[in-house]
Amino acid sequence: MTCPAEFVALAERLADAAGPIVRAHFRTPVAVLDKADDSPVTIADREAESAMRRLIEATHPDHGIVGEEHGSRNPDAEWVWVLDPIDGTKAFITGKPSFGTLVALLHRGKPVLGVIDQPILGERWIGAAGRPTTLNGRPVRTRACPELGRAALYATMPEMFIGPDGERWAALTRSVKLVRYGADCYAYALLASGFVDAVVEALLKPYDYCALIPIIEGAGGVVTDWNGLPLGLGSDGRVAAAGDPTLHAQLVRVLGDA
Amino acid sequence: MTCPAEFVALAERLADAAGPIVRAHFRTPVAVLDKADDSPVTIADREAESAMRRLIEATHPDHGIVGEEHGSRNPDAEWVWVLDPIDGTKAFITGKPSFGTLVALLHRGKPVLGVIDQPILGERWIGAAGRPTTLNGRPVRTRACPELGRAALYATMPEMFIGPDGERWAALTRSVKLVRYGADCYAYALLASGFVDAVVEALLKPYDYCALIPIIEGAGGVVTDWNGLPLGLGSDGRVAAAGDPTLHAQLVRVLGDA
């Protein structure tokens, strides 16, 4: 299916609404790190999600919404929006602009539209079924990289790979050209733009990965779970993305349960 | 001593000269990652360092220069410039703007001036003996954080801690509030600005850390080797930085050889 243009336009309006709220709370002084409900990141997260939900409810009250902060509403609807106002809260609270606002739209459970918006850098990637992925309106493509030995690999942090996952991750890191950490959703955006070859993560939630899928697929890449199966709301949180389909098959060989 | 204002002005001119060269090579398409002498990062590194060296040689031919790319010239001079045009080459080649151009000036071996310039984000931290550290001209300060248990800790990657260093790093990560990877010199800049409490690294070279010292000290922080000793050209590459002097003492207790 092709994602309706009006939904792409709405996704842009959602990111437009979240941006000023997120920017207003970025790099505000915090005395010390405490798990307080009124921390800048919590306030920005809640307010930005509320702003996005209001826009959806005003224009498409029949659509479902799954949000990181305010929970689910009508999650079995034909169209469901999945929202993460600040993906990368640890980057956000330490002042590093590698976090992002994630917006996804699912049609009967399948992600057909995704936005990664970096409101500090002014960068917005949009992927939608039936059209090429764009960065600030210009089409982007993944790059060819058919060999693990030449690949640049990202993950948010090695601590996300627990038990057997850690052994597979370690095996993977020994096979690639370069490993880097700490980019959250931004790593997938760099993959879509052809500067990173693979991103492998675990313990992700649907609002962490749904938006990435149309962006990567619309740029020529492949993203699945570690066994090569499509990602959806019920996946186990292990994500394997590659810009080159041949490289993706190699990732699944190293990471899969088979 | 107070760093002469004319040297601060020259350091700004060096960063001004490097910036356009670095920006011109950032996010240029690279087919695959190969260790080639003509990769964009290598070209940018060499050209930016050459531009900086020309400015120093034209104005202060008696000064020494230690550069990552073009080696040392008169390294025993009273005044020695230490240059790293692109600190964070892996971030650079994967399109992530967390790398930086580093400029340091040593007086009789002691760093008295440092610049961290992020030419994509347009952020420049300057630290100089005798004046407060600034970000784009505005003074910045580290924040109070007297307890490890509340600290946000950064390192570039866990793989930099080998053997016993790895055990000490692991012990440290278990003590803090939050650990993040992947920021290179940018982590120290965030520490100077009061958003990160500690940065601990190993295997660094003098051109990786000399510029950071005046920036951190001029913002109220402390940076030494893992034993609490001053850093200089002959240090062992293990760096411990904290925004709060009390926290720094705790870092050294966990990391030191004693």
Side-chain angles (χ1 to χ4, degrees):
Chain A
M1 74 154 310
T2 295
C3 179
E6 64 164 315
F7 295 160
V8 179
L10 177 55
E12 293 232 44
R13 285 177 59 209
L14 300 184
D16 288 344
I21 298 168
V22 173
R23 276 193 296 273
H25 293 277
F26 184 62
R27 290 196 184 170
T28 48
V30 177
V32 286
L33 293 180
D34 284 311
K35 185 66 188 173
D37 280 349
D38 57 353
S39 71
V41 68
T42 308
I43 295 169
D45 240 339
R46 285 188 188 158
E47 291 184 3
E49 186 174 318
S50 294
M52 292 193 282
R53 294 177 89 108
R54 279 195 298 273
L55 281 169
I56 297 167
E57 288 161 4
T59 53
H60 298 282
D62 55 317
H63 286 194
I65 305 178
V66 176
E68 194 196 357
E69 293 296 314
H70 298 294
S72 296
R73 171 182 169 279
N74 201 10
D76 300 317
E78 180 180 359
W79 298 95
V80 175
W81 295 86
V82 182
L83 308 174
D84 189 357
I86 300 176
D87 176 73
T89 53
K90 290 181 179 177
F92 183 93
I93 61 175
T94 55
K96 192 159 75 87
S98 61
F99 64 90
T101 299
L102 301 181
V103 174
L105 178 62
L106 276 54
H107 182 245
R108 303 191 195 284
K110 183 176 155 38
V112 294
L113 168 61
V115 176
I116 299 174
D117 189 75
Q118 213 310 311
I120 308 303
L121 308 183
E123 295 179 321
R124 182 179 296 173
W125 284 263
I126 301 180
R131 41 179 264 179
T133 294
T134 57
L135 162 57
N136 292 352
R138 294 185 188 185
V140 293
R141 292 288 298 171
T142 63
R143 69 177 167 198
C145 178
E147 294 166 42
L148 275 178
R150 302 171 105 173
L153 169 69
Y154 265 78
T156 291
M157 57 197 308
E159 289 81 352
M160 67 187 353
F161 306 108
I162 295 168
D165 287 3
E167 292 161 30
R168 294 178 207 179
W169 168 255
L172 187 61
T173 61
R174 287 191 294 270
S175 311
V176 298
K177 177 86 172 177
L178 177 162
V179 183
R180 288 292 291 180
Y181 299 102
D184 302 297
C185 61
Y186 204 72
Y188 299 90
L190 293 174
L191 182 146
S193 282
F195 297 108
V196 167
D197 302 300
V199 187
V200 170
E201 300 200 290
L203 306 180
L204 297 193
K205 303 289 186 195
Y207 42 77
D208 295 324
Y209 59 74
C210 281
L212 316 170
I213 299 166
I215 289 171
I216 292 169
E217 292 179 349
V222 180
V223 53
T224 65
D225 73 10
W226 282 17
N227 290 310
L229 299 174
L231 292 165
L233 290 178
S235 298
D236 67 6
R238 297 187 298 170
V239 171
D244 187 318
T246 303
L247 187 69
H248 186 269
Q250 296 173 49
L251 290 181
V252 169
R253 257 198 304 278
V254 177
L255 298 169
D257 297 320
Chain B
M1 73 153 309
T2 295
C3 179
E6 66 164 313
F7 294 161
V8 179
L10 176 56
E12 293 234 42
R13 286 176 60 208
L14 300 184
D16 289 343
I21 297 168
V22 172
R23 277 194 295 274
H25 292 278
F26 184 61
R27 290 198 184 169
T28 47
V30 177
V32 287
L33 294 181
D34 284 309
K35 185 67 187 172
D37 280 349
D38 56 353
S39 72
V41 69
T42 308
I43 296 168
D45 241 338
R46 285 188 190 158
E47 291 185 1
E49 186 174 319
S50 294
M52 292 193 283
R53 294 177 89 109
R54 278 195 299 272
L55 281 169
I56 297 166
E57 288 161 3
T59 54
H60 297 283
D62 54 316
H63 286 194
I65 304 177
V66 175
E68 194 197 359
E69 293 297 315
H70 298 293
S72 297
R73 171 181 168 281
N74 201 10
D76 300 316
E78 179 180 359
W79 297 96
V80 175
W81 295 86
V82 181
L83 308 174
D84 189 359
I86 301 176
D87 175 72
T89 53
K90 290 180 178 178
F92 183 93
I93 60 174
T94 55
K96 191 159 75 85
S98 60
F99 64 90
T101 298
L102 301 181
V103 174
L105 177 62
L106 276 53
H107 182 244
R108 302 191 196 283
K110 182 177 156 35
V112 293
L113 169 61
V115 176
I116 300 175
D117 189 74
Q118 214 308 314
I120 308 302
L121 307 183
E123 294 177 322
R124 181 178 297 173
W125 284 263
I126 300 182
R131 42 179 266 180
T133 293
T134 56
L135 162 57
N136 292 352
R138 294 185 188 185
V140 294
R141 291 289 298 171
T142 62
R143 69 177 167 199
C145 178
E147 295 166 42
L148 274 178
R150 303 172 104 175
L153 169 69
Y154 265 78
T156 291
M157 57 197 310
E159 289 82 353
M160 67 188 353
F161 306 109
I162 294 167
D165 287 2
E167 291 161 29
R168 294 178 205 178
W169 167 255
L172 187 61
T173 62
R174 287 191 294 270
S175 311
V176 297
K177 177 85 172 178
L178 177 162
V179 183
R180 288 291 292 179
Y181 299 102
D184 302 298
C185 60
Y186 203 73
Y188 299 90
L190 293 173
L191 182 147
S193 282
F195 298 107
V196 166
D197 303 300
V199 187
V200 170
E201 301 200 289
L203 305 180
L204 297 194
K205 302 289 185 193
Y207 43 76
D208 295 324
Y209 59 73
C210 281
L212 315 170
I213 298 166
I215 289 172
I216 292 169
E217 292 179 348
V222 180
V223 53
T224 65
D225 73 9
W226 283 17
N227 290 310
L229 299 174
L231 292 164
L233 290 177
S235 298
D236 67 8
R238 298 186 298 170
V239 172
D244 187 320
T246 304
L247 187 69
H248 186 268
Q250 295 174 51
L251 290 182
V252 169
R253 257 199 302 279
V254 177
L255 298 170
D257 297 320

